[in-house]
């Protein structure tokens, strides 16, 4: 397992390993191997390349705390969106960019509340995926100060889905 400092990323990596999904954990330092360009120097790295049965995902993990109710925080920075868009174009056909929102829960959730949950360490997590191509048309400005965007609750419910990835055959 890669040395990860963020518990959300460690939980996601645990999910990948438990489901026998091939992946590459991205090391920010390796970005220096890209061709020289001022635009690439500012490009934010994503977290994982995941090879599932029918998909190759460029994953940016977004950890959030679930506070209950119907609201799933799904904000990202505009830089997250722009960088994932660039990575998707650079990696080419067959790669799909996605945000994987991992919600830390206060306790083990009831079975019917979430479709995809994992336990890692002493924390329960719910995992939802929103592809970049579905996220972008629904996003709205959240904060000019922090340069963030999000998707309204009703739209997020329709564009996101529980994370279910199957290993390649």
């Amino acid at each position: 397992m890669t040395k990860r400092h963020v518990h959300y990323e460690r939980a996601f990596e645990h999910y990948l390993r438990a489901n026998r999904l091939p992946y590459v954990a991205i090391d920010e330092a390796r970005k220096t191997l890209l061709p020289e360009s001022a635009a690439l120097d500012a490009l934010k790295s994503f977290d994982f390349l995941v090879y599932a049965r029918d998909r190759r995902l460029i994953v940016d993990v977004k950890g959030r705390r679930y506070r209950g109710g119907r609201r799933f925080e799904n904000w990202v920075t505009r830089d997250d969106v722009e960088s994932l868009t660039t990575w998707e174009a650079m990696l080419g056909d067959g790669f799909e960019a996605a945000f994987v929102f991992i919600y830390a829960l206060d306790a083990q959730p009831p079975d019917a509340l979430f479709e995809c949950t994992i336990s890692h360490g002493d924390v329960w997590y719910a995992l939802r995926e929103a592809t970049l191509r579905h996220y972008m048309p629904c996003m709205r400005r959240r904060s000019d100060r922090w340069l963030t965007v999000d998707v309204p609750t009703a739209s997020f419910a329709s564009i996101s889905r529980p994370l279910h990835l199957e290993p390649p055959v």
Side-chain angles (χ1 to χ4, degrees):
M1 221 182 254
T2 303
K3 191 174 185 179
R4 297 243 167 224
H5 301 290
V6 179
H7 68 98
Y8 296 104
E9 291 174 7
R10 287 193 310 266
F12 182 68
E13 191 164 12
H14 171 76
Y15 167 86
L16 295 173
R17 293 173 66 84
N19 287 286
R20 304 185 61 81
L21 289 154
Y23 68 92
V24 176
I26 303 305
D27 180 354
E28 176 86 20
R30 302 276 184 205
K31 192 170 71 173
T32 60
L33 300 176
L34 292 172
E36 276 191 53
S37 163
L40 292 180
D41 288 341
L43 188 62
K44 181 185 174 291
S45 291
F46 54 94
D47 299 305
F48 295 90
L49 282 177
V50 179
Y51 298 87
R53 176 163 294 157
D54 299 322
R55 305 169 71 196
R56 292 185 291 176
L57 291 176
I58 305 162
V59 174
D60 194 354
V61 173
K62 297 299 175 192
R64 305 287 181 259
R65 184 144 255 345
Y66 179 70
R67 306 262 186 234
R70 294 185 151 309
R71 177 81 176 136
F72 285 93
E73 290 291 333
N74 64 72
W75 60 268
V76 300
T77 66
R78 291 194 305 240
D79 188 33
D80 292 330
V81 172
E82 292 164 6
S83 293
L84 267 187
T85 300
T86 302
W87 282 114
E88 191 175 63
M90 282 177 48
L91 291 170
D93 288 343
F95 284 94
E96 181 177 32
F99 293 113
V100 172
F101 291 93
I102 300 183
Y103 299 96
L105 310 170
D106 292 330
Q108 181 177 357
D111 289 340
L113 186 57
F114 299 104
E115 291 180 46
C116 180
T117 60
I118 61 169
S119 173
H120 182 65
D122 294 337
V123 181
W124 281 91
Y125 298 90
L127 290 81
R128 292 197 68 82
E129 168 197 349
T131 61
L132 184 63
R133 83 181 142 89
H134 288 117
Y135 191 92
M136 285 178 61
C138 299
M139 71 183 190
R140 64 179 183 195
R141 183 177 32 207
R142 178 182 168 121
S143 167
D144 287 331
R145 179 178 181 192
W146 300 105
L147 303 175
T148 56
V149 296
D150 70 357
V151 171
T153 301
S155 296
F156 188 70
S158 68
I159 66 157
S160 70
R161 62 183 177 190
L163 184 66
H164 290 294
L165 299 173
E166 295 186 34
V169 178

